[in-house]
Amino acid sequence: VELLASRSPLPAEAVDLFAAVALLEKEPVTLRARALRALVKSGVATDAVVRALAKTEGELQAVWEEFVRDGRHAQRVDFFAQLAAAEKSEVAFGVLARLANAKGTPKEAKAAASRAVERAWSQADLLVPLLRAVGRARENAYAFQVLTFAKDARPDVKKAAAYAAEQLGLNK
């Protein structure tokens, strides 16, 4: 990983290897993060990165945030919208929430990301990953929705909203 990660562009045959390393919990966090960052930097392995980041939390949060905040995703809003809806992907929702609120997002991409996020607020099966993504991405623009769902009767939604509220600093 160390040898190949510095190559630009990342060799196509290295993509699967890097994705596998990123998913191996027995590997050191620094190696997993290096593999993920190389995949993110390559820009060609979005599917592999999303799969790998879906299984990360805590120690790889910084890599998750770097990926979510990558402005190049504005070119693939439809991909992330489909992924968010079909697979209930926190990563995809994080990207969409960020694009919907980032100042540098092109107008069309911002509108498409906003529509996808707004649709998800009304779909019960998408609320948990959306709320968790809003929290992980620290998207304060959705504070009202987070506080509203913190009072929800469904325990899983309430728990996800509590997590988001904590991440956004709304519990103070």
Side-chain angles (χ1 to χ4, degrees), residues 86-135:
E87 297 188 22
K88 300 168 186 60
S89 168
E90 274 184 43
V91 179
F93 277 125
V95 169
L96 293 168
R98 179 65 182 165
L99 290 173
N101 294 292
K103 289 186 170 124
T105 304
K107 187 187 294 187
E108 300 81 22
K110 184 179 280 244
S114 293
R115 281 192 305 274
V117 170
E118 288 307 314
R119 274 193 309 270
W121 287 122
S122 64
Q123 296 180 350
D125 62 326
L126 300 179
L127 287 174
V128 170
L130 176 57
L131 285 162
R132 288 194 47 81
V134 164

Side-chain angles (χ1 to χ4, degrees), residues 38-51:
L39 287 170
V40 170
K41 183 180 160 192
S42 75
V44 298
T46 305
D47 297 344
V49 174
V50 170
R51 280 194 318 274

Side-chain angles (χ1 to χ4, degrees), residues 39-168:
L39 287 170
V40 170
K41 183 180 160 192
S42 75
V44 298
T46 305
D47 297 344
V49 174
V50 170
R51 280 194 318 274
L53 287 175
K55 302 202 183 325
T56 65
E57 186 116 9
E59 71 275 355
L60 293 171
Q61 175 65 17
V63 181
W64 191 93
E65 288 176 15
E66 290 168 22
F67 180 77
V68 164
R69 295 187 188 314
D70 188 338
R72 294 178 293 179
H73 298 319
Q75 300 168 5
R76 298 192 69 198
V77 173
D78 291 340
F79 166 78
F80 288 106
Q82 290 172 358
L83 187 66
E87 297 188 22
K88 300 168 186 60
S89 168
E90 274 184 43
V91 179
F93 277 125
V95 169
L96 293 168
R98 179 65 182 165
L99 290 173
N101 294 292
K103 289 186 170 124
T105 304
K107 187 187 294 187
E108 300 81 22
K110 184 179 280 244
S114 293
R115 281 192 305 274
V117 170
E118 288 307 314
R119 274 193 309 270
W121 287 122
S122 64
Q123 296 180 350
D125 62 326
L126 300 179
L127 287 174
V128 170
L130 176 57
L131 285 162
R132 288 194 47 81
V134 164
R136 285 185 79 178
R138 293 178 179 82
E139 285 296 329
N140 286 306
Y142 301 108
F144 175 77
Q145 290 92 330
V146 168
L147 292 173
T148 299
F149 285 110
K151 300 171 193 161
D152 199 272
R154 295 164 288 190
D156 57 337
V157 172
K158 190 173 189 174
K159 181 179 177 183
Y163 170 81
E166 180 181 329
Q167 297 302 308
L168 296 176

Side-chain angles (χ1 to χ4, degrees), residues 20-32 59-60:
V21 168
L23 290 169
L24 290 174
E25 292 180 17
K26 67 179 181 178
E27 294 295 339
V29 172
T30 53
L31 183 64
R32 293 173 63 204
E59 71 275 355
L60 293 171

